[in-house]
Amino acid sequence: MLKKNSKSIYQEILFASRENRKLLAILIDPEEFNSATTSEFLKQIPPETTHIFVGGSTVTNGATETVVTALKFQTSMPVVLFPGDVSQLTPKADALLFLSLLSGTNSEYLIGQHVQAVSKLRGNDLAVISTGYLLIDGGTTSAVARVTNTNPLSQNNVQKIVDTAKAGELLGMKLIYLEAGSGAKTPVSDTIITAVKNEINIPLLVGGGIKTERQKQAAYQAGANMVVMGTHFEVRNTKS
Ligand code: 1GP
């Protein structure tokens, strides 16, 4: 655990954030991805993409590893797991966002899955990056809310979001991820992004419902170091 990759992948995110170089992750849901067209998929994502994330709220056993293997064959970009649960861990990826769902009080997603993950992480090179994960109301019932049985934080309660993110940093987390939920109607607001960014000293990731260049740039302007986009590219690669 925490071997060679962990330092470099996290350090790169940290350096980019300090230098204000914006990062873009494209998220692949293994359930919606056709590995046979990986090469075409990689050609159609934005050239400024810096990371590929792989994960979903519920994924069939083995599907994540199949997708990661196909990606690793075709790209030198870091392939980072963004798992909904422990079943999605595979050492074939470069890194793992070790997500703790700080916005809710379901202990399973705060620490439970993580304890189960340890035996799978032992003895491999997967970089483990501790990430405070905050689900924020995006105007729809998200898969994350459904699967974790937690309520999102209201976008009106900016202080609670800020305090939750800061608590994550104080607990030693290396990244904060503000998540409006895949396919959110309303992405995380600029006000929230700026307020969180002003409070924390670790890189800030923002995703959920970001579909346009304008929305992406607005998130960067507000303070996001990395934007995560999934659904917008998924529709072009859905399994038949
Ligand atoms: C979801 O934040 C990611 O976990 C990406 O959301 O699919 O809406 O782009 P979208």
Side-chain angles (χ1 to χ4, degrees), residues 25 27 53 55-57 82 133 144 177-185 206-211 227-234:
L27 171 65
F53 284 4
S57 292
F82 176 68
Y133 188 57
V144 178
Y177 191 130
L178 300 179
E179 169 71 272
S182 189
K185 270 193 209 146
V206 178
I210 298 175
K211 298 184 284 292
V227 165
V228 183
M229 296 173 76
T231 308
H232 181 63
F233 297 101
E234 207 168 82

Side-chain angles (χ1 to χ4, degrees), residues 87-152:
S87 74
Q88 294 174 42
L89 299 195
T90 164
K92 309 256 183 209
D94 297 305
L96 160 68
L97 294 191
F98 208 39
L99 303 165
S100 185
L101 183 65
L102 302 180
S103 52
T105 53
N106 184 342
S107 63
E108 188 59 26
Y109 294 92
L110 277 165
I111 184 62
Q113 291 284 312
H114 315 69
V115 174
Q116 289 184 54
V118 171
S119 60
K120 289 189 158 200
L121 296 173
R122 229 171 243 131
N124 66 54
D125 271 348
L126 196 59
V128 180
I129 305 172
S130 171
T131 304
Y133 188 57
L134 280 66
L135 181 62
I136 292 165
D137 189 2
T140 50
T141 303
S142 66
V144 178
R146 224 176 22 247
V147 170
T148 64
N149 198 21
T150 63
N151 293 321

